[in-house]
Amino acid sequence: VRIFTGYRIQHNLSRGPAKGGIRYHPDIDIDEVRALAMWMTWKCALIGIPYGGAKGGVAVDPRLLSRNELERVTRRYASEIMPIIGPEKDIPAPDVGTDAQTMAWMMDEYGKLHGHTPACVTGKPISLEGSYGREAATGRGLVYLYREAAPKLNLGPTDTRVVVQGFGNVGSWAARIMQDLGCTVVGVADVNGAVHSEEGIDAEALHRHIGEGGALEEFEGVDEVSTEEFFGIECEVFIPAALGGMIHRGNADELRCRMLIEGANSPTTPSADDVLEDNGIMVIPDVMANAGGVIVSYFEWVQNLQHFRWEEREVNDRLGTIMRRAFRSVYKRAEDDDVSLRLAAYELGIERVAEAARARGYISA
């Protein structure tokens, strides 16, 4: 018998019901969940979707549990937080260590008391009213922002070499879509190692190779490189899509890119930010860059409330519209205030939450 500790934090509900993922990780604690919940508040406000911020998690390593054990943990966690979640209160979604199956268990547990309620969680399987386009949404969002930012640096797809750190869901989709656009992927790293090829790495073939159980360094036509060499690969776009804090003062000066698009949460430390700014690298911050997932989660919620499903093309088009609008507003604020894109993004997000709170009467005008 084992007992696990779980959390669900709702940070701010001024703009709508709470929204945020459920994370399964052995090192999670209440302070991390609090910080991530606050971060979701600013993200949802910045991109203009009607949610407040929340986050949840269970201190467990899902890799050490069987499928049946994971299901029991998930259902018990769902039953404990059930009084504070629901389509009009708080809508969980997948995060690190969780997936569509986790959300299916949570939806089913919620339905035992409330009946069939697909809008109680998002990120569900397609068979349970999940949204088309959800799996690729975060990676696709990164590419939409690249397309908006590239003209600012006089970059075109055929002139763009891409390095991707982290080849999970976000990194692999970003690499594949960038490749479809005409970019060349020249470097990839995952938890096991890093590889480089100046001639280009076929991202689709690499995705299949890893999906079949192959190791990154065993892929044909690539050279294995050290972590230090990986950060120094010359490219136009670097996409950190792994864990937080991977770009820090110790390695930020090694980066040889013109644009950094943050696919992971907090991949760049504040001290590294200063180095990147001094080196003239455009940093597209995580609070905007990786918002594709929560945007399509919002679309899934809307579809569930209507019991009507959109085609994938419509989902992708709507995602692009929101991402482009967010980038343009942040870029304009950065220019007007002569600040970084990160600071401009937080200014806009916090202002919008404060505006909603004032309108509700929570704070004085």
Side-chain angles (χ1 to χ4, degrees), residues 7-338:
Y7 310 93
R8 185 66 179 176
I9 300 291
Q10 296 170 349
H11 174 255
N12 187 287
L13 307 178
S14 297
R15 288 178 51 86
K19 190 82 183 84
I22 302 291
R23 180 171 292 197
Y24 284 2
H25 194 279
D27 297 330
I28 201 165
D29 59 31
I30 194 168
D31 291 324
E32 179 182 0
V33 179
R34 281 179 178 137
L36 290 168
M38 178 176 67
W39 190 72
M40 285 300 299
T41 297
W42 314 138
K43 176 188 277 191
C44 292
L46 170 65
I47 58 180
I49 58 177
Y51 286 140
K55 206 73 175 184
V58 178
V60 58
D61 188 341
R63 297 170 300 179
L64 303 181
L65 302 187
S66 70
R67 179 185 171 91
N68 287 340
E69 289 168 337
L70 269 179
E71 180 175 355
R72 292 201 295 275
V73 168
T74 300
R75 288 184 180 275
R76 183 64 186 184
Y77 173 71
S79 70
E80 291 293 335
I81 66 171
M82 198 175 298
I84 63 169
I85 65 171
E88 308 301 331
K89 295 180 181 178
D90 181 351
I91 306 101
D95 200 275
V96 175
T98 57
D99 56 16
Q101 179 60 71
T102 315
M103 295 303 106
W105 290 327
M106 290 192 70
M107 185 194 90
D108 186 69
E109 194 67 21
Y110 187 89
K112 288 179 181 179
L113 285 182
H114 301 278
H116 181 61
T117 316
C120 68
V121 295
T122 59
K124 302 181 296 295
I126 294 295
S127 60
L128 292 178
E129 298 190 55
S131 177
Y132 292 125
R134 175 65 180 83
E135 182 185 352
T138 306
R140 191 177 300 280
L142 302 180
V143 180
Y144 282 129
L145 291 185
Y146 158 75
R147 295 180 69 174
E148 284 297 302
K152 312 293 184 186
L153 301 178
N154 295 317
L155 273 180
T158 56
D159 309 318
T160 300
R161 295 166 297 176
V162 182
V163 170
V164 180
Q165 183 198 28
F167 207 70
N169 178 272
V170 176
S172 67
W173 273 111
R176 285 179 279 166
I177 298 170
M178 290 286 272
Q179 179 174 282
D180 290 343
L181 202 61
C183 304
T184 303
V185 179
V186 295
V188 173
D190 67 8
V191 68
N192 298 311
V195 295
H196 169 237
S197 172
E198 198 58 44
E199 290 71 36
I201 300 169
D202 187 334
E204 284 286 356
L206 179 59
H207 174 69
R208 290 194 299 271
H209 170 76
I210 292 177
E212 292 165 0
L216 178 66
E217 61 273 17
E218 295 170 352
F219 188 65
E220 291 186 6
V222 299
D223 298 317
E224 191 172 359
V225 296
S226 67
T227 301
E228 294 74 19
E229 292 170 322
F230 176 77
F231 280 98
I233 295 174
E234 287 195 17
C235 61
E236 281 64 50
V237 175
F238 189 96
I239 300 176
L243 299 175
M246 299 302 287
I247 300 171
H248 46 78
R249 181 174 289 279
N251 61 22
D253 205 39
E254 301 297 320
L255 288 176
R256 297 291 180 265
C257 62
R258 299 178 62 192
M259 182 191 307
L260 188 143
I261 311 175
E262 296 184 333
N265 292 337
S266 305
T268 309
T269 66
S271 59
D273 252 347
D274 296 336
V275 175
L276 297 176
E277 186 173 357
D278 290 343
N279 291 344
I281 296 173
M282 175 189 283
V283 177
I284 301 181
D286 52 0
V287 71
M288 171 173 60
N290 63 26
V294 72
I295 292 170
V296 177
S297 278
Y298 165 60
F299 294 162
E300 182 177 333
W301 178 69
V302 169
Q303 292 169 80
N304 292 162
L305 292 174
Q306 300 176 66
H307 293 283
F308 181 80
R309 177 172 279 158
W310 304 343
E311 293 300 322
E312 185 169 355
R313 184 183 185 89
E314 183 176 2
V315 171
N316 292 340
D317 287 346
R318 289 176 182 268
L319 170 63
T321 297
I322 291 178
M323 295 298 288
R324 286 189 291 269
R325 182 176 64 212
F327 178 83
R328 290 166 187 169
S329 62
V330 169
Y331 193 84
K332 184 178 186 305
R333 171 59 69 91
E335 283 193 318
D336 290 348
D337 291 0
D338 192 25

